[in-house]
């Protein structure tokens, strides 16, 4: 089983990327985890380029999403919503509609912010966007607030309840992927 991790942040020291790496430690044996690294290469969405020969980075994104059994997205919150670069990539991934690479794909959303609320608005927005695209969205959220203090050196969440909740979301995503493969 292949799980693709997508961080909405381009930052080298991104807390959301770290959160995905922590999530990956909770995957069951036999599941592989790939961290998508191409978000910064995706050009602004342009409908004229959406047809047979989209930009190489967009084709690669669609292929990578298509090859994954499930996708775990970690988003920061920018001004109460998701970062523009993440929305832009999802707009590209949503086409052609309705037969896009995310359609029916099990996805889960988690998020971290340096504020108190753990990017809950951004996570809600991201679930809405993914539902609109046609993905199978796990009904759960993980609010990692004060992200600069949220991680331990051995790659866990410092709050044991939050770490347990993260492990539960990963388990739900894996279950959804197994159900989807058997459907
Ligand atoms: C933020 N940040 C932020 N945090 C929050 O909780 N709510 C918000 O609305 C915003 N808005 C916002 C806008 C912009 C433009 C930036 C750059 C930042 C803070 C944000 O949560 C923090 O920078 C995170 O650390 C970003 O995630 P990464 O890059 O660490 O993954």
């Amino acid at each position: 089983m292949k799980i693709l991790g997508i961080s909405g942040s381009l930052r080298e020291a991104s807390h959301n990327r770290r959160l995905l790496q922590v999530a990956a430690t909770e995957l069951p044996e036999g599941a592989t985890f790939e961290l998508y690294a191409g978000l910064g290469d995706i050009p602004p969405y342009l409908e004229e380029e959406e047809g047979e020969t989209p930009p190489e980075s967009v084709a690669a994104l669609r292929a990578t999403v298509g090859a994954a059994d499930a996708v775990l997205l970690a988003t920061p919150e920018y001004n109460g919503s998701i970062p523009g670069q993440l929305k832009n990539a999802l707009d590209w991934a949503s086409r052609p509609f309705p037969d896009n690479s995310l359609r029916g794909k099990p996805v889960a959303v988690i998020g971290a912010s340096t504020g108190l609320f753990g990017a809950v608005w951004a996570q809600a927005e991201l679930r809405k966007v993914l539902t609109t695209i046609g993905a199978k969205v796990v009904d759960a959220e993980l609010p990692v607030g004060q992200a600069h203090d949220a991680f331990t050196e051995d790659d866990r969440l410092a709050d044991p309840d939050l770490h347990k909740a993260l492990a539960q979301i990963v388990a739900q995503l894996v279950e959804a992927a197994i159900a989807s493969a058997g459907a």
Side-chain angles (χ1 to χ4, degrees), residues 31-109:
T32 60
F33 183 78
E34 178 187 346
L35 195 54
Y36 172 65
L39 191 64
D41 301 326
I42 306 280
Y45 178 77
L46 181 59
E47 193 164 347
E48 285 98 318
E49 290 190 352
E50 137 190 324
E52 306 249 302
T53 49
E56 219 171 284
S57 56
V58 170
L61 167 67
R62 289 172 176 167
T64 306
V65 169
D69 295 294
V71 182
L72 181 62
L73 297 106
T75 185
E77 187 166 286
Y78 284 2
N79 300 306
S81 186
I82 63 177
Q85 64 266 14
L86 178 58
K87 178 64 163 55
N88 179 59
L90 292 173
D91 288 339
W92 276 114
S94 73
R95 301 282 152 162
F97 193 84
D99 297 318
N100 60 67
S101 55
L102 277 166
R103 186 153 206 89
K105 183 82 59 186
V107 300
V109 172

Side-chain angles (χ1 to χ4, degrees), residues 7 9 11 13-17 76-81 112-115 119:
S7 164
S9 173
R11 230 161 55 83
S14 162
H15 299 304
N16 282 280
R17 190 179 316 149
E77 187 166 286
Y78 284 2
N79 300 306
S81 186
S113 77
T114 48

Side-chain angles (χ1 to χ4, degrees), residues 155-171:
D155 269 339
R156 292 182 68 82
L157 287 168
D159 177 340
D161 290 337
L162 207 54
H163 191 94
K164 212 183 283 175
L166 174 61
Q168 213 156 30
I169 290 175
V170 170

